[in-house]
Amino acid sequence: MQTNKNRLALGTFGTNLSGAISATTVPERWSGSWEDNRELALLADQAGLDFMMPVGRWRGYGGTTDHNSNSFETLTWAAGLLASTQRIRVFGTVHVSLFHPVLAAKQMATVDQIGGGRFGLNIVCGWYEDEFRMFGLSAGDSSTTRYDEGDEWLEIIKRIWSEDAPFDYNGKFFQLKGVKGDPKPFQRPHPPIFNAGFSPRGRQFAKEHADTIFFGVTDVESAAGELKKLKADLTATGRNVGVYTNSFIVCRPTRKEAEEYYHWYAVENADEGAVETMLRGRGYLNRGLPPNAIARLKKRLAGGNGGYPFVGTPDDVAAEMQKVSAIGIDGLALGFVNGLKFLPYIRDEVLPRLERAGLRSAA
Ligand SMILES: Cc1cc2nc3c(=O)[nH]c(=O)nc-3n(C[C@H](O)[C@H](O)[C@H](O)COP(=O)(O)O)c2cc1C
C-alpha cells in the first residue's frame, strides 16, 4: 500500500522538537513552540507538502541548547495539527515499549478520526538508552528483542483495528484477555505504517510490516546499488512498499551563500555537546572511523540528524532531488534550521522546478 500522490513526496521532519533536526546554537534555530508548529503546518498544507513527520523523543541530547529537550509527544501533537489543517498527512512516531498496544490502538484510531484519514504511524522500537531508563526499561543490547516485541505489538494493534469480537492474546511480551477497541481508524484496513529499522533485524521488521521504509543515503552513487537490491527484496515480498529518505535542506539564491550558511550553523555554531551524545548513543565512536569521516559525520549530524544534505541554489536542490528520485527514492523527510523562515523560499523556487520536472503536481 503506497500512499504517494506525488512521484516525490515531501514533508517536514522533527518540528515537534526544539532545534528540530539541526543541532545548532544559531539564534534562529527552531523553537519547537506550539504556535510555530501550527503556523508551519498551515504553511506546509497550503504549499501542498505531503506530510509532517515528528520525532519521538523523551529527553534532550545535552549540549549548550539541550538539543531536542523541548519535545511534544507526537500523537497529541498530530491530533492538534490534523484538527488545524485540511490536506496534509500528519504522522505519530510511536515507541513500541512505551505505549501499551491497547492504549496506542485507541489513541491512533482517535487521531485518524480527527484527521478524516490523514494520520500515519512511524513505528520505532528505540535505541536511546537514557530515554528508556526514564521508564524503568532498557533499550536492550539486542535489537532482536526490541523488534520481536514490535511484531507482537503491531499484531495486537492490527487485530484491534480489524476485529469486532473480543480476543485473548498470549505472546512472549503481551498476555491480554478479552481485547477489543472502537472506534476503528478512519483509514481501512489501517493508516500507513512507516519504519526506519536499519539493523538486519530492524530491516526484516520493516520489510514484513511497513508500507514505507526509510533508507539512508550517504551519497547518491553508492546508494543506487544498495537501493536496487532493497527494492528487489521488497518486490519479492509481493507488497508494494515505498522507500523514503531523511534529509535536510539549505537553499539560497547562490551556491556560495547556501554553503556558507551550512558551514555557519553546522560547523562554526554546531552544538558540539549534543552532537557528541548522538555519536555516542548511536555507537559511531566504537567503529574505528578515521578523523575525517567523524568530521563529515558530525557536520551532517549537526546539519540534519545525519540525513542527506540538499545544499545550493533552487536549481541545484531541484536537480539533486531529481537524482535521488531517479535511483528510486519515493519521498523526502526534510529538515530545516527554521521551517517558518526558510520554507517559503523553497515553496516559491524549488517546488515549481519539481513540478516542471514531473516529480510533483501543483498544490
Ligand atoms: C527517518 C527516521 C526517523 C526516525 N525516528 C525516530 C524517532 O522518532 N525516535 C527514535 O527513537 N528513533 C527514531 N529513528 C531511529 C530508527 O527507528 C531506528 O532505531 C534506527 O534507524 C536504527 O535502526 P535499528 O533500530 O534497526 O538498529 C528514526 C530513524 C530515521 C532514519
Side-chain angles (χ1 to χ4, degrees), residues 6 78 111 116 136 152-153 192 197 221 224 228 252 304 310 312 315-316 337:
N6 285 304
V111 178
E152 289 191 9
W153 188 88
E221 288 68 31
K228 207 165 162 194
R252 294 289 184 281
F310 291 99
D315 280 337
D316 292 335
V337 171

Side-chain angles (χ1 to χ4, degrees), residues 39-358:
E39 205 180 322
L40 181 66
L42 296 175
L43 179 66
D45 202 23
Q46 280 157 12
L49 291 202
D50 302 273
F51 64 92
M52 295 183 80
M53 173 71 68
V55 170
R57 191 81 301 130
W58 302 91
R59 63 184 296 140
Y61 288 105
T64 16
T65 64
D66 197 3
H67 179 56
N68 289 174
S69 57
N70 203 68
S71 56
F72 284 127
E73 188 283 316
T74 71
L75 290 176
T76 36
W77 172 86
L81 293 184
L82 285 164
S84 311
T85 50
Q86 303 294 321
R87 290 178 297 268
I88 197 162
R89 181 177 294 286
V90 184
F91 282 81
T93 297
V94 184
H95 276 87
V96 160
S97 313
L98 311 185
F99 290 73
H100 191 281
V102 177
L103 171 67
K106 187 171 283 294
Q107 287 177 312
M108 294 189 280
T110 307
V111 178
D112 198 40
Q113 291 283 342
I114 291 172
R118 291 182 291 124
F119 172 70
L121 163 64
N122 182 27
I123 300 188
V124 293
C125 291
W127 56 270
Y128 189 9
E129 187 62 30
D130 291 351
E131 271 182 355
F132 274 63
R133 285 209 206 105
M134 286 172 41
F135 292 83
L137 299 167
S138 166
D141 13 279
S142 109
S143 60
T144 307
T145 316
R146 292 185 285 122
Y147 284 99
D148 288 350
E149 185 179 353
D151 281 339
E152 289 191 9
W153 188 88
L154 191 56
E155 187 190 343
I156 294 163
I157 287 178
K158 282 187 176 168
R159 287 189 65 181
I160 294 172
W161 283 348
S162 59
E163 295 180 19
D164 289 322
F167 65 89
D168 293 347
Y169 189 88
N170 284 308
K172 185 169 157 211
F173 300 90
F174 299 99
Q175 296 83 40
L176 315 173
K177 293 275 180 222
V179 179
K180 68 190 297 292
D182 288 298
K184 309 299 182 202
F186 191 94
Q187 294 167 96
R188 308 307 298 267
H190 55 74
I193 295 172
F194 281 43
N195 180 257
F198 281 16
S199 61
R201 180 64 182 93
R203 256 306 178 247
Q204 185 198 344
F205 178 87
K207 281 180 191 165
E208 258 169 55
H209 300 295
D211 301 307
T212 296
I213 288 183
F214 275 104
F215 170 87
V217 175
T218 306
D219 64 86
V220 175
E221 288 68 31
S222 60
E226 286 170 53
L227 193 52
K228 207 165 162 194
K229 195 175 161 306
L230 175 65
K231 290 231 158 177
D233 288 354
L234 292 172
T235 307
T237 66
R239 299 191 310 118
N240 182 13
V241 181
V243 181
Y244 282 26
T245 198
N246 50 309
S247 58
F248 58 98
I249 184 163
V250 183
C251 188
R252 294 289 184 281
T254 68
R255 193 175 293 173
K256 185 165 176 284
E257 276 175 81
E259 281 168 1
E260 281 176 2
Y261 185 69
Y262 180 26
H263 189 77
W264 168 247
Y265 86 84
V267 179
E268 288 177 57
N269 290 287
D271 188 338
E272 293 283 349
V275 172
E276 272 312 301
T277 311
M278 288 185 205
L279 279 175
R280 209 172 347 98
R282 298 178 194 179
Y284 287 118
L285 296 179
N286 317 324
R287 295 184 197 170
L289 294 171
N292 61 343
I294 292 276
R296 257 202 321 272
L297 192 56
K298 279 171 112 173
K299 186 172 178 183
R300 275 205 193 184
L301 283 170
N305 207 14
Y308 189 74
F310 291 99
V311 179
T313 63
D315 280 337
D316 292 335
V317 167
E320 199 61 21
M321 287 184 177
Q322 285 179 70
K323 269 204 230 165
V324 166
S325 163
I327 65 167
I329 294 290
D330 304 301
L332 302 173
L334 286 170
F336 310 86
V337 171
N338 180 324
L340 274 179
K341 193 167 152 69
F342 298 125
L343 180 57
Y345 186 63
I346 292 156
R347 173 198 62 201
D348 296 342
E349 295 297 334
V350 177
L351 297 190
R353 285 167 167 80
L354 297 177
E355 286 159 24
R356 290 197 290 276

